[in-house]
Amino acid sequence: MSEEIQLNTNVEKLISDTVLNDPATIDGIKNLIDKATPLVQAGRFNNIIDLLSIISDNIEFLDEAALEKTTKVGEEILALGWTAGNAVRMAHAQTEALEKPPGLFQLISALNDPDVRRSLHFFIGTMRIIGRQMKND
């Protein structure tokens, strides 16, 4: 019984001595508990903790050079996604603006455009590399 009284006293002291005395903090904690309750009840909160542990463990093993390389790869992926997304949006807008789809000869004449040839060369080169990798597997 005395342990319970001591615990309650400690909790009251913690509340009175810290930011927990601030009503906005209490409201924020209540809101956090309300949002976390379904995760805890379904056992999904454990998955989040496990994921955070994996991330934390991997960060500990990374030296500065490896971290910079990983960050650079992430930035390159983000830039690629952004560039590809913009290209798709622009091509979609141009295609939507057409009254009718281009004919075969119009498509062939588009090969005169250096940008079209450059993008086709990129696509064909990418497919060649993927094909080689598939052959080696």
Side-chain angles (χ1 to χ4, degrees):
M1 193 71 154
S2 66
E3 289 179 9
E4 186 176 331
I5 293 170
Q6 180 64 35
L7 179 63
N8 288 338
T9 305
N10 289 343
V11 169
E12 289 172 9
K13 184 171 181 357
L14 178 67
I15 290 172
S16 66
D17 291 347
T18 64
V19 293
L20 292 177
N21 200 19
D22 181 9
T25 302
I26 298 295
D27 289 341
I29 291 173
K30 286 179 182 176
N31 189 17
L32 181 63
I33 290 171
D34 289 342
K35 288 183 177 183
T37 298
L39 295 172
V40 172
Q41 290 173 345
R44 293 173 33 208
F45 192 72
N46 296 338
N47 297 340
I48 294 170
I49 298 299
D50 291 342
L51 179 62
L52 290 173
S53 295
I54 290 170
I55 292 170
S56 176
D57 290 345
N58 286 324
I59 289 174
E60 282 183 20
F61 292 120
L62 291 177
D63 61 355
E64 191 169 329
L67 186 59
E68 286 179 18
K69 287 178 186 176
T70 304
T71 303
K72 186 173 190 296
V73 168
E75 290 173 355
E76 289 173 352
I77 291 171
L78 183 64
L80 176 63
W82 184 80
T83 301
N86 281 340
V88 168
R89 281 189 291 278
M90 289 174 63
H92 182 265
Q94 289 173 355
T95 302
E96 288 291 316
L98 295 174
E99 290 183 26
K100 62 180 184 172
L104 179 62
F105 292 112
Q106 289 172 313
L107 290 173
I108 292 172
S109 68
L111 293 174
N112 289 327
D113 184 345
D115 291 332
V116 171
R117 290 195 310 270
R118 187 177 297 112
S119 63
L120 284 173
H121 183 266
F122 172 81
F123 179 74
I124 291 168
T126 302
M127 293 299 107
R128 183 182 303 117
I129 292 168
I130 291 173
R132 283 185 196 143
Q133 290 176 349
M134 292 173 66
K135 182 173 71 173
N136 294 335
D137 287 344

